[in-house]
Structure formats: structure tokens, C-alpha cells
Amino acid sequence: MKVGQKIFRYDSLTSTNEVLKELAQDGFEPGIVVIGGIQTKGRGRLDRTWESPEGGLWLSVLMDATPVFHDNKFGVIPLMASCAVARSITALTELEARVKWPNDVMINGRKTCGILGEILDLEKGLAIIGIGINVNNSVREGYDFSPVSTSIHEEVGREVSLEELEHVLLDELDRRAVQITEGSSDDILEEWRSLSDTLGRNVRITTTTCEIVGIAKDIDENGSLIVDTDDREVTVLAGDCEHLE
Ligand code: BTN
């Protein structure tokens, strides 16, 4: 099913990821989308709270991730979502949106969008992509090393149509979901590299167990970040990333 062929809309809900999980358990197919006007329990990475007031685009997509599960490349899913968001923002506003590892979208160095990818059912090949974009809502200080968070409205200086953004984004997501189904995840990695704001920078990565400082050299086939430190090359699967300069 095409991404967004069936959309479930709520004025207010706990979290689009949670509602999508329930719908998947009820047997709805990959491609369905849940959109909420407000989330009362929006979740970010590492179990953080994600502020989700009116005016933002808060949505989740149920994905058929069978090919990436087989190849152990789940990390490609959130990367593809950040590329789709960056392209959609640029298409609507002409702002240069860039992607920051692991899966944020930035405008002028400020975080505009966060993505929460979750594995739902390995056997059935199901994954969830949760996407939160600050569009016309006001934002508070960034919590995860983004010097400041921002909204599209703040950066472009006018209101942006949520409907238009949703429409363009679902198309962009569908295009890349097809690429993943066809086994072309290398094209997604290449696109991410070309949109990257992280590669080539001096970064500090904080994981649950350690801190790594060095130059962000590349991503591997699973989307893990390869960091050149003074004495060795380290591959990081997950963590917070701070751009040091
Ligand atoms: C991050 O920490 O950067 C990821 C934020 C992801 C937020 C989105 S909003 C839609 C979906 N539902 C949630 O509860 N979280 C994700």
C-alpha cells in the first residue's frame, strides 16, 4: 500500500507512535499513517518528552521493513525519513534543510524535526517511523545539543500550510519506501551523505556508556556513524551528537 493511502487523523492523541502500534495490532497494513493535531505524550529518542503543541506536524508511518531487517540495516529507515523531511521543507520554502546524525533535520544549524524509528515486529517485518516537525508552533530551547530548536515558521518568516507539507512529505516518504522495498538502500545512504550537516565536522558523541570526540568521517551501510578519533576509528550505532564547530 502507498504511504498515506489510509490516514487516521486525531485532533488530540497520546502519541502517534502508540496509536499506530495499536492499529498495526488490529491488522492494518504497512503504509497507514497516523496524524495528531496535539500529542499529550509525545516521545523523543532515549525516552525523552517531545513537546507537541498545535501547529506542528506530528505523524507516524507503518513501514514494511522486511528487506532492511534481513540485511540488518534497520538504521536506514530513520535516515530515509530525515532525507524525505529535508527535501519536503526545501521544496515548500526554498530553505536549505540539512540532516544531522542520527536523524534530525536542521535549518540554519537549528533542529526543526526529530525522528523516532522503532522496530515493531521483526517476524512480520514491521517498523514505525515517528516524525515530529516544528512547523507553525513555537519551540522551546533544544534539549539534545541542538544549540536552539526552531520551527519552519521562524526560519521562513511566514506560516506554512500543514496540509501542503503533509502532502509533499507523504509522497517523498513513499518514493523512498519503494526504494527500500526494492533493496536500494545504498541510494538512501548516498542521499543522506549529500544532505549531511554532520560529515566532515568535529563532533562529540555521547552514548549510554561513553563519549567519543573526533571527526565524523562517514556512515556505514546501517547508518552508524564512523568517527575518526586521535588514535582510532570508532563506529557508533546510537547516541547524541554535538557539532563542536
Ligand atoms: C527526537 O528525540 O528527536 C525524536 C522526536 C520524535 C517525535 C515524533 S512526533 C510523532 C511521533 N510520535 C511520538 O511520540 N514521537 C514521534
Side-chain angles (χ1 to χ4, degrees):
M1 197 208 303
K2 197 171 155 32
V3 170
Q5 195 169 315
K6 188 160 185 55
I7 301 179
F8 296 83
R9 289 180 195 279
Y10 301 80
D11 289 338
S12 171
L13 77 184
T14 50
S15 152
T16 53
N17 274 32
E18 297 315 311
V19 171
L20 188 72
K21 264 179 217 169
E22 288 163 19
L23 292 168
Q25 271 149 18
D26 290 346
F28 283 99
E29 282 177 35
I32 61 165
V33 172
V34 172
I35 302 183
I38 292 171
Q39 295 187 116
T40 54
K41 287 191 183 149
R43 274 193 300 117
R45 291 172 53 241
L46 309 170
D47 262 335
R48 291 164 174 146
T49 298
W50 180 263
E51 302 283 331
S52 317
E54 201 177 338
L57 186 55
W58 324 122
L59 67 84
S60 300
V61 183
L62 185 63
M63 287 277 304
D64 171 12
T66 319
V68 285
F69 283 168
H70 278 155
D71 298 345
N72 258 331
K73 291 183 185 166
F74 175 71
V76 170
I77 299 255
L79 294 189
M80 85 84 161
S82 52
C83 291
V85 171
R87 295 281 192 207
S88 306
I89 293 175
T90 300
L92 281 188
T93 63
E94 291 177 21
L95 290 169
E96 191 191 6
R98 302 189 69 80
V99 296
K100 173 175 179 269
W101 190 86
N103 35 48
D104 294 341
V105 180
M106 318 287 283
I107 304 175
N108 297 325
R110 304 171 185 212
K111 177 164 173 169
T112 313
C113 163
I115 288 161
L116 182 64
E118 297 187 281
I119 295 173
L120 186 60
D121 189 325
L122 270 177
E123 272 176 23
K124 291 188 185 152
L126 294 178
I128 292 179
I129 317 175
I131 302 177
I133 312 178
N134 294 315
V135 185
N136 298 316
N137 56 303
S138 58
V139 286
R140 66 189 175 98
E141 294 283 299
Y143 60 63
D144 56 355
F145 299 126
S146 330
V148 198
S149 291
T150 192
S151 65
I152 302 179
H153 179 192
E154 207 168 304
E155 297 302 317
V156 77
R158 63 172 164 85
E159 290 249 327
V160 171
S161 156
L162 282 178
E163 290 72 25
E164 266 184 73
L165 180 60
E166 173 194 313
H167 183 73
V168 176
L169 176 60
L170 294 181
D171 264 4
E172 294 283 347
L173 286 168
D174 184 62
R175 203 131 45 86
R176 289 166 184 80
V178 171
Q179 279 182 301
I180 288 185
T181 318
E182 289 172 348
S184 311
S185 52
D186 285 353
D187 294 346
I188 285 162
L189 297 174
E190 220 25 71
E191 181 179 30
W192 191 91
R193 289 183 182 105
S194 75
L195 290 170
S196 169
D197 196 25
T198 299
L199 298 183
R201 280 185 191 262
N202 201 12
V203 295
R204 179 185 294 123
I205 308 294
T206 310
T207 75
T208 43
T209 52
C210 66
E211 194 177 277
I212 301 142
V213 176
I215 305 290
K217 207 175 131 195
D218 199 3
I219 45 169
D220 72 7
E221 70 280 0
N222 182 31
S224 298
L225 189 69
I226 303 170
V227 182
D228 235 346
T229 69
D230 277 346
D231 48 350
R232 67 199 168 99
E233 212 173 80
V234 185
T235 302
V236 199
L237 181 66
D240 276 325
C241 171
E242 182 181 6
H243 290 169
L244 295 177
E245 60 206 35

